[in-house]
Amino acid sequence: VSTPRIGVDVGGTKILALLLDVDAPDAPIASKRLPTPGTSEEVIEAIIEAVRFLDAPGPVGLGLPGLVDSDGVLRGAPNLPCLVDIELREPLERALGVRVSIDNDSTCALRAEMAVGVARGVDDVVLVTLGTGIGGGVAIGGEVRRGAHGFAGEPGHMLVDPDGPLCVCGRRGCWERYASATGLVRMANESASFADARGAITSERLVADARAGDPAALAIWDTFAGWLANGLANLADVLDPELLVIGGGLVDVADLFLEVTRERFLDDTVGGRARVRTRIEPAALGHESGAVGASLLR
Ligand SMILES: [Zn+2]
């Protein structure tokens, strides 16, 4: 008899809960999506609502966007500050009556891609999720690395321009100001090409305009692809992975940037063209890999 499991990915803007069969985690049985509310009490209520909607007896895994310590508590989260230092496991277990496990959302995504996705059988992997910010997960020699505090793999706040725009973390010029969905929209809203609609550009419009062949939108995607390649090259210079996986919300439109990113990556990383084994691939589970990986936590 297979076991039902629930994985919940709590993002900066949305909560995605999936009901899965542990023997076939790549084919969710049911899902529930809710907007992420603004206070910790409301977030806890939203998680409880999503899990109850899925109505299954199994354990619950939770992926959180930020620095999750070994006790499962978020200790830093520029894109979800209301949850920092908030104990989630105890109130959720009390309300739901099942065991709750917690890890970083992108580390969850990495586990999912290694278990049933594009990173299956690959030992040296770096995964980045492109959403509100940029999350990350790192595996070396087939082992997921969590670091000294559990905080490893937060590439979104790598500094790429000290004079760049202010980041939600309080510093300037972090990678996620350029290569996340938020960064994409920011660059368009600050571009002279979009002066008529400044402040009103959305990622949906940039996708639609690019698909329609609009030169201004295509130029923004090209710039975005270059910034993405810059950061991936930095990661490859340190870790020399065999596989770089792109996950998160923007993976659904990877055809708009992936080829350019692959080509720029070869020029950006030291000895790029000698890195013959390094591939850049979209997450096989798409934007659901974080929730799938959370369901695999135990
Ligand atoms: Zn930052």
Side-chain angles (χ1 to χ4, degrees):
V1 179
S2 57
T3 317
R5 284 177 173 273
I6 290 175
V8 185
D9 185 355
V10 181
T13 56
K14 59 137 182 54
I15 295 170
L16 174 66
L18 297 179
L19 174 63
L20 301 157
D21 179 335
V22 75
D23 295 325
D26 49 341
I29 299 160
S31 69
K32 179 72 176 174
R33 184 192 279 255
L34 293 168
T36 306
T39 71
S40 60
E41 292 83 3
E42 290 170 332
V43 173
I44 290 171
E45 280 309 311
I47 294 168
I48 291 168
E49 180 189 338
V51 171
R52 285 191 175 144
F53 173 87
L54 296 174
D55 193 26
V60 172
L62 200 61
L64 301 178
L67 309 175
V68 178
D69 72 11
S70 53
D71 295 324
V73 177
L74 205 52
R75 298 303 182 187
N79 291 303
L80 197 54
C82 72
L83 286 192
V84 172
D85 295 334
I86 301 295
E87 167 64 48
L88 295 179
R89 182 184 288 121
E90 196 274 330
L92 288 173
E93 288 188 338
R94 187 156 30 88
L96 296 168
V98 295
R99 191 160 45 82
V100 173
S101 306
I102 301 175
D103 203 345
N104 169 270
D105 57 353
S106 299
T107 300
C108 289
L110 174 66
R111 289 185 197 283
E113 292 295 326
M114 291 178 77
V116 293
V118 70
R120 203 170 183 168
V122 182
D123 284 343
D124 296 296
V125 188
V126 176
L127 175 143
V128 296
T129 52
L130 312 180
T132 312
I134 301 179
V138 177
I140 300 171
E143 299 281 331
V144 174
R145 308 307 302 201
R146 307 275 328 273
H149 307 87
F151 298 170
E154 284 294 331
H157 302 283
M158 292 192 299
L159 194 150
V160 296
D161 179 3
D163 299 319
L166 196 62
C167 182
V168 284
C169 74
R171 297 183 302 162
R172 286 189 175 276
C174 295
W175 188 34
E176 69 178 42
R177 288 308 100 205
Y178 303 86
S180 66
T182 311
L184 173 81
V185 170
R186 179 193 64 78
M187 290 190 290
N189 276 309
E190 292 176 4
S191 160
S193 310
F194 290 94
D196 59 320
R198 185 155 294 172
I201 305 294
T202 62
S203 55
E204 290 77 12
R205 171 169 167 185
L206 292 170
V207 171
D209 285 4
R211 297 226 186 282
D214 175 64
L218 291 170
I220 294 292
W221 281 104
D222 192 72
T223 303
F224 172 85
W227 281 113
L228 180 57
N230 287 159
L232 295 178
N234 287 348
L235 294 167
D237 284 337
V238 177
L239 295 163
D240 189 26
E242 182 177 344
L243 178 62
L244 290 153
V245 183
I246 309 295
L250 286 184
V251 73
D252 296 338
V253 293
D255 61 297
L256 291 175
F257 59 84
L258 199 54
E259 278 313 311
V260 175
T261 296
R262 284 174 174 144
E263 189 54 37
R264 302 269 173 83
F265 171 83
L266 295 178
D267 295 328
D268 284 353
T269 187
V270 172
R273 293 184 191 273
R275 295 183 192 267
V276 293
R277 294 181 60 202
T278 303
R279 294 175 292 127
I280 304 174
E281 299 289 347
L285 300 165
H287 67 272
E288 293 185 339
S289 51
V292 172
S295 82
L296 302 174
L297 293 174
R298 52 199 70 207

